Amino acid sequence: MSPLMMVRRIGFYVVIAVLMAFFAVPMLWLASAPFDSKPGLGLRWPDWTLDNVKTTFEHPYALASLWNSLVICVVATAITATFAALAAYALSRVRIPGRDLMLYVLLLLSSVVTGTAAMVPIFVMMFQLGLINSQFGTALVIAGGMLPAAIFILKDFVDSVPRSYEESARVFGASPFQVLTHVVLPVARPGIATILVWAFVNAWGNFLLPFLLIREVGKQPGAVLLRTLQDEGGSANLTVIPVFSLLYSIPVVVLYVLVNKRYGFRFHGGIKS
Amino acid sequence: MAGIDVQGLSTVYPNGVRAVDGLDLEIADGEFFALLGPSGCGKTTLLRTIAGLEQASSGAVVIGGEDVTGVDPGKRKVAMVFQDYALFPHMTVAENIGYPLRVRGESKARQREVAEETSGGLSLAGLLDRRPGQLSGGQQQRVALARAIAMDAGVLLLDEPLSNLDARLRLEARTFLKRLQRELGLTTVFVTHDQAEALALADRIAVMESGKIRQLGSPREVFQRPANTFVANFIGSTPMNLLDAVVREGFVEVAGTRLTLPSGISLADGTPVTAGIRPEYLNAGSGDGITGVVSTVENLGVSSLVTIECPGDALVGLTVPEQHEPEIGATLTATPEAGRLLVFDEAGLLLGAAKVAI
């Protein structure tokens, strides 16, 4: 190996190492800071203790907010997956003029509908509906925002399921409901699993909508509560935040591992001409 | 058991295509029937309309004496095997075969029992707990057949049953299918674009073109006496020679020679006709015949297809046995076997009796 190549290679690995460290540091912090007697923003070998965990569990809102997150997420994910599956199936199988255009427009608008641009109208609408401070109402809005993309991804997935499966079941005398439960849903299961995880993770990390629509601290999900974890002086409460962050990250990781083990991530989305 | 009666059936797609156009057809109980035609001729649509997967626009479908035109597919007592077999990938072979019983709400044990019974005769016995993805193409096809048989319907519909198999397996599957159909005695309708398949399997063939039946008859009739030039062209592994000809003094003047008009046909002098003769019915040799210069020789295995160029730029094909191939550039006379010359009128319809004596 020539010296020039050696230098090149060393340079390459240095750059990679710096990049990796950039991503690794927060992870290591998440693993060490919760168990450090004096957690700081820096990364260091912890002085092991479980006091932070105790403090966090005694925090009046911390665990409750994670439960709130879970409720909102499960509702939003269930609504998204159910409606997206039904809509995707219908859109895949029934010919409607302008169907593809409609899907693209929906997808385009979805980022606007729940994005910052619509904050005020959404707030006003939910206020008039009396759904402020309602976890269900918030879940509904989150689901509404996720549906177009979910339908888009699932429709593409259902498109790849041959019609002859359903026709075959029909010839054997299956009712439309039997066709759905015996054939279409099982065959589309990896796609639905993808949507479930995607929707859950999206809803779990959603800050803006619950922040906007849930004003009562006791009903706020973790993503919103995290922002208010500070002491009287207004500086970050570093005894609670590390443990809380760790707890907050667990469901997403568990979900990913479970689904990946069961189905593997066969991602079928994308655009077909 | 049930026969199928199709009366004045039309199936029109929403985009206005008349895939099946006012078609009448009667299929007897226990018959092995082929719908043959080029792609886009409406044969698959006709099959799907019989199955109830397509809505008839007009006309009626009667199965076993019962008008089922508006009836749901599942209530027609018709089993169907799809071109891609449509085996459910998430079910085992046994579950697939037992599926028609599951729909009817029969017990799991009964489903398994029927799956075991049915699969025995189809040499699938050791494969019941596999998934379709783990089977070969031929095995998948037999599973699809077993599932259709397990339905215990009077009518079996097959959409291109052999087209997804590779060439060698296709011949085996063909023999197998023919034996199976005879053993079960099911009224079986199958769709194919492969004329050899239709000739080999079917008791009767309907040759279709643009939504209409162009000829209906036994394989022998369709092969020996095609009712029109379309059928003549379509049937046969080597294309039939169709040559422009003129009637003169009781002879057919074709490619520079005169051939005897088939008996029972009398036409005025100067009538333009099309003379048709299969390459298999032309013999190389001396005597009365079409003379030309050999331009190509194609080896077909046990015989060779020789193309000769005749006066008037006509190309005539004939088969010669192996070891008897002529040299390219040699002059050759092709003599038709007695009674094998067909004459079509200007509209392309066969002249003389359409039936053959068997």
Side-chain angles (χ1 to χ4, degrees), chain B residues 175-316:
Chain B
T175 315
F176 170 80
L177 206 58
K178 184 137 188 170
R179 203 188 66 216
L180 186 75
Q181 196 273 339
R182 210 182 45 229
E183 281 170 8
L184 296 169
L186 278 172
T187 309
T188 307
V189 184
F190 74 102
V191 156
T192 180
H193 63 269
D194 182 349
Q195 51 86 28
E197 215 172 282
L199 292 174
L201 284 172
D203 297 329
R204 269 198 313 155
I205 299 173
V207 186
M208 291 181 65
E209 190 204 8
S210 46
K212 290 190 156 79
I213 292 178
R214 301 303 303 270
Q215 188 174 7
L216 183 65
S218 70
R220 197 175 298 272
E221 283 163 2
V222 172
F223 185 77
Q224 289 186 354
R225 297 197 62 83
N228 46 59
T229 47
F230 171 79
V231 177
N233 230 330
F234 195 75
I235 301 277
S237 42
T238 48
M240 186 187 258
N241 297 304
L242 291 170
L243 307 161
D244 292 334
V246 181
V247 176
R248 293 239 187 276
E249 298 159 11
F251 289 92
V252 191
E253 204 171 81
V254 55
T257 39
R258 288 187 166 191
L259 300 171
T260 322
L261 253 181
S263 58
I265 301 175
S266 54
L267 290 166
D269 265 17
T271 316
V273 291
T274 302
I277 183 142
R278 294 201 178 279
E280 293 84 353
Y281 296 149
L282 279 172
N283 294 320
S286 50
D288 269 355
I290 306 162
T291 306
V293 178
V294 177
S295 66
T296 54
V297 178
E298 295 162 55
N299 195 330
L300 305 177
V302 88
S303 61
S304 287
L305 178 65
V306 175
T307 308
I308 55 174
E309 260 183 63
C310 307
D313 287 338
L315 290 174
V316 176

Side-chain angles (χ1 to χ4, degrees), chain A residues 193 197 251-265:
Chain A
V197 176
V252 174
V253 174
V254 167
L255 193 69
Y256 171 79
V257 170
L258 274 184
V259 173
N260 193 31
K261 205 172 166 189
R262 184 85 201 266
Y263 303 107
F265 269 89

Side-chain angles (χ1 to χ4, degrees), chain A residues 78-262:
Chain A
I79 293 173
T80 306
T82 311
F83 283 88
L86 295 175
Y89 181 50
L91 283 170
S92 170
R93 294 305 191 236
V94 180
R95 250 170 250 201
I96 311 168
R99 176 189 69 184
D100 290 345
L101 185 72
M102 185 182 87
L103 272 172
Y104 281 106
V105 170
L106 258 180
L107 191 67
L108 198 70
L109 286 181
S110 72
S111 51
V112 179
V113 166
T114 49
T116 36
M119 273 199 311
V120 176
I122 285 179
F123 182 82
V124 172
M125 185 173 79
M126 296 302 276
F127 182 74
Q128 288 175 350
L129 287 170
L131 286 174
I132 296 295
N133 279 338
S134 156
Q135 287 173 345
F136 178 73
T138 307
L140 218 55
V141 176
I142 295 175
M146 294 192 293
L147 263 174
I151 292 172
F152 192 79
I153 295 169
L154 260 186
K155 186 209 153 252
D156 228 32
F157 188 88
V158 179
D159 280 347
S160 71
V161 175
R163 261 167 203 257
S164 59
Y165 288 169
E166 293 147 56
E167 289 175 344
S168 181
R170 274 175 68 202
V171 170
F172 293 128
S175 64
F177 184 72
Q178 280 175 321
V179 172
L180 191 70
T181 54
H182 291 173
V183 181
V184 180
L185 282 179
V187 173
R189 211 160 51 177
I192 292 170
T194 306
I195 290 302
L196 280 177
V197 176
W198 174 82
F200 189 91
V201 171
N202 256 342
W204 188 257
N206 198 319
F207 167 77
L208 188 64
L209 285 168
F211 173 67
L212 208 65
L213 300 175
I214 301 180
R215 312 305 302 171
E216 208 179 304
V217 185
K219 287 185 174 175
Q220 281 174 346
V224 177
L225 188 85
L226 193 57
R227 194 188 133 272
T228 62
L229 293 176
Q230 44 191 255
D231 55 25
E232 290 80 2
S235 55
N237 182 349
L238 284 174
T239 35
V240 177
I241 287 177
V243 180
F244 187 78
S245 304
L246 190 63
L247 292 175
Y248 183 66
S249 65
I250 287 172
V252 174
V253 174
V254 167
L255 193 69
Y256 171 79
V257 170
L258 274 184
V259 173
N260 193 31
K261 205 172 166 189
R262 184 85 201 266

